[in-house]
Amino acid sequence: MIKLFSATNCVSSRKMKQWLIANKLEFREIVILENSLQKKDILRILSLTEKGAEEIISKRSLIYKKLSLKIDFESLTTNELIDLITQNYKLLRRPLLMDEHRLQVGYNEDEIRKFLPRSVRQIELGRAIENVRLWDEEEKHHFAI
């Protein structure tokens, strides 16, 4: 099941939700500001990151700037970090999209396609290959004239 961690006032969250709906993907939306984050979700998000906490923490957020004066984020244990995020949900970058195997941080129209079923991606790839083939033929014809 795809989970969308969003914020109601976030344009990127709205875009991601619209993309999921347009592509007919089932998902569960968790509005971060309205729902308390579950530790198991934060742990799962962290486990799917490539760079760890720095990938999901918003260093531009006011709460990060305030807390970074008091806390050395680099020295936190995983449990301490999870507790800190559950108490200060605005630390998280938004939107976050995840399933059992993948994590998407922020809305990126190219990267989000990885959540489409493989069969859909293969059809799209076939169309793209055909378009390139047709473009090549047009170019050859154009230069032959």
Side-chain angles (χ1 to χ4, degrees), residues 9 15 28 81 98 122 125:
N9 61 346
K15 282 182 181 179
R28 181 172 151 234
L81 179 64
M98 74 173 196
Q122 287 175 332
L125 180 60

Side-chain angles (χ1 to χ4, degrees), residues 5-28:
F5 295 89
S6 66
T8 52
N9 61 346
C10 173
V11 172
S12 294
S13 291
R14 286 193 299 270
K15 282 182 181 179
M16 191 171 280
K17 182 177 179 179
Q18 290 169 352
W19 185 89
L20 289 166
I21 292 168
N23 285 279
K24 299 177 177 77
L25 296 174
E26 289 185 36
F27 66 97
R28 181 172 151 234

Side-chain angles (χ1 to χ4, degrees), residues 74-85:
E74 299 296 321
S75 67
L76 293 175
T77 66
T78 302
N79 286 330
E80 290 171 335
L81 179 64
I82 290 170
D83 287 340
L84 186 64
I85 292 171

Side-chain angles (χ1 to χ4, degrees), residues 53-107:
E54 78 175 69
E55 194 173 331
I56 61 169
I57 298 293
S58 174
K59 293 185 177 180
R60 295 187 306 178
S61 68
L62 295 175
I63 192 70
Y64 177 84
K65 291 174 183 175
K66 183 179 173 183
L67 290 173
S68 65
L69 299 174
K70 303 174 189 174
I71 298 170
D72 177 14
F73 278 83
E74 299 296 321
S75 67
L76 293 175
T77 66
T78 302
N79 286 330
E80 290 171 335
L81 179 64
I82 290 170
D83 287 340
L84 186 64
I85 292 171
T86 56
Q87 296 164 13
N88 300 281
Y89 55 82
K90 290 184 180 182
L91 280 170
L92 281 180
R93 292 179 62 198
R94 298 174 294 276
L96 295 169
L97 189 66
M98 74 173 196
D99 64 10
E100 297 79 26
H101 309 289
R102 296 167 289 232
L103 174 68
Q104 174 74 36
V105 181
Y107 179 78

